[in-house]
Amino acid sequence: MKVWKKAVGFVGVLLFGILCFNFLGYSQTIKLKYANFPPAPTFPCVQMERWAKEVEKRTQGQVKVETYPGGTLLGARNMLDGVIAGIADIGCFCPSYHPGRFPLLEAVDLPWGWPNTKVPSLTLLRLYEKWKPAELKDVKVITMFTCPPNHIASKVPLRRLSDLKGVELRAAGTLADFLGLLGATPVAMPMSDVPEALQKGIIKGYLSSLEVLKDFNYAEYCRYVTYLGHQIVSFAVVMNMKSWEALPKSVKDVIENMKEEHAIWTADYLDNYIKEVVVWAKNTYNVEFIDLPKEDKDRINALVKPMFEKYTSRAKGAGVPVEDVLKDIERIRAAIK
């Protein structure tokens, strides 16, 4: 009987210790796998590393995030489905890499004309928060942001809209449609093929955001940049729903509270980095940055209207309340300071 009482007492002390251990917050570490597809030094992975460190810090080490840049766990095309399947807990993907799958979000990729990265990033996130499109119901959206506005980098100077006529420029997706309406000849190819294509004369330049001038050293080949800024590429960071639901409320609160804050951080990081890239390109390769005349800018706004018309027709067919969505984009972006 004494032995039995001692055993019961020991179990009681053990259970009390476990309860105290958990109460004081020393619960088991939560490990999350975060996959990304671009190379580690590029901005989608820079924001990934910052997010991972912030979550670890704000949860006082309760959450540890293992990061997988450069497609080491999931690639660009299978990122979303890989997260849904649980291959990664978290993944960063581009909706535009899945034509027709995200008809509502595609509205942000239209050639609106953007002054910086912050405005389209917050427009994208707030548009999602209002409409919560069903296409993302199988994941938890952690944050959203965009690349900086796109401009033309080229081997030859393009000082007027008429200079673009017939010029072969690398572009993908809606960026190719945009260049085609401006009179250029869009050429589809992976970004990694751009240097060789420039050297062989297959293309004369490309349409992209300016950080690649430095990140991929494309300024070595393209000594001219023609400012446009009409379009961006959207990014969404999503979490496997089972992984999300398994998190304690305190961790969920940390992640949820970082959603817009991190979008702003990413945008501010990019806008400051672009300023550094412009200075670097000028000093290192004497790159010339060209502003089109006002009459050409006005002409571009007229030329790209078919893209809005085409989107309206396509999105309506997918059940998107297009008029309301387009009005929301105009309203949201006008309100962002």
Side-chain angles (χ1 to χ4, degrees), residues 46-187:
V46 170
Q47 69 78 31
M48 173 178 69
E49 298 298 340
R50 188 264 180 182
W51 187 90
K53 289 177 183 176
E54 282 297 308
V55 168
E56 181 175 337
K57 181 173 72 174
R58 297 185 193 195
T59 60
Q60 298 181 328
Q62 185 180 4
V63 176
K64 300 285 187 182
V65 183
E66 299 174 355
T67 57
Y68 296 83
T72 51
L73 184 58
L74 288 169
R77 299 287 182 183
N78 65 344
M79 183 66 67
L80 176 59
D81 291 330
V83 170
I84 292 173
I87 297 172
D89 298 293
I90 304 168
C92 178
F93 81 100
C94 287
S96 60
Y97 286 9
H98 306 270
R101 189 169 176 178
F102 303 97
L104 191 145
L105 297 181
E106 285 177 15
V108 181
D109 292 338
L110 291 169
W112 292 96
W114 303 102
N116 52 35
T117 317
K118 182 178 179 180
V119 175
S121 292
L122 288 180
T123 299
L124 173 70
L125 180 58
R126 291 174 183 175
L127 188 74
Y128 165 79
E129 288 292 300
K130 175 177 178 179
W131 290 98
K132 296 288 178 64
E135 299 81 39
L136 286 169
K137 65 179 175 58
D138 295 326
V139 291
K140 169 64 181 176
V141 172
I142 302 303
T143 192
M144 289 182 165
F145 52 88
T146 73
C147 75
N150 286 284
H151 306 283
I152 295 174
S154 56
K155 295 172 65 176
V156 295
L158 303 171
R159 304 185 188 280
R160 297 296 305 262
L161 183 56
S162 56
D163 293 338
L164 271 68
K165 187 173 183 180
V167 176
E168 298 87 356
L169 299 171
R170 184 267 178 191
T174 58
L175 300 181
D177 297 337
F178 173 75
L179 282 180
L181 290 171
L182 268 54
T185 300
V187 180

Side-chain angles (χ1 to χ4, degrees), residues 199-266:
Q199 292 179 59
K200 292 183 175 180
I202 298 171
I203 58 174
K204 297 292 192 303
Y206 60 87
L207 179 62
S208 183
S209 45
L210 293 180
E211 79 280 354
V212 299
L213 284 171
K214 185 175 183 180
D215 288 352
F216 298 133
N217 202 37
Y218 287 173
E220 179 181 359
Y221 309 100
C222 297
R223 304 299 173 88
Y224 302 93
V225 171
T226 301
Y227 282 123
L228 291 175
H230 288 74
Q231 288 180 280
I232 47 78
V233 175
S234 301
F235 291 79
V237 181
V238 297
M239 189 170 186
N240 175 275
M241 193 59 78
K242 289 183 179 178
S243 298
W244 169 256
E245 291 172 350
L247 295 175
K249 183 179 183 303
S250 59
V251 174
K252 288 180 178 178
D253 289 344
V254 167
I255 294 174
E256 190 67 30
N257 291 336
M258 284 179 60
K259 183 183 289 183
E260 183 163 309
E261 173 198 322
H262 190 68
I264 293 172
W265 183 90
T266 303

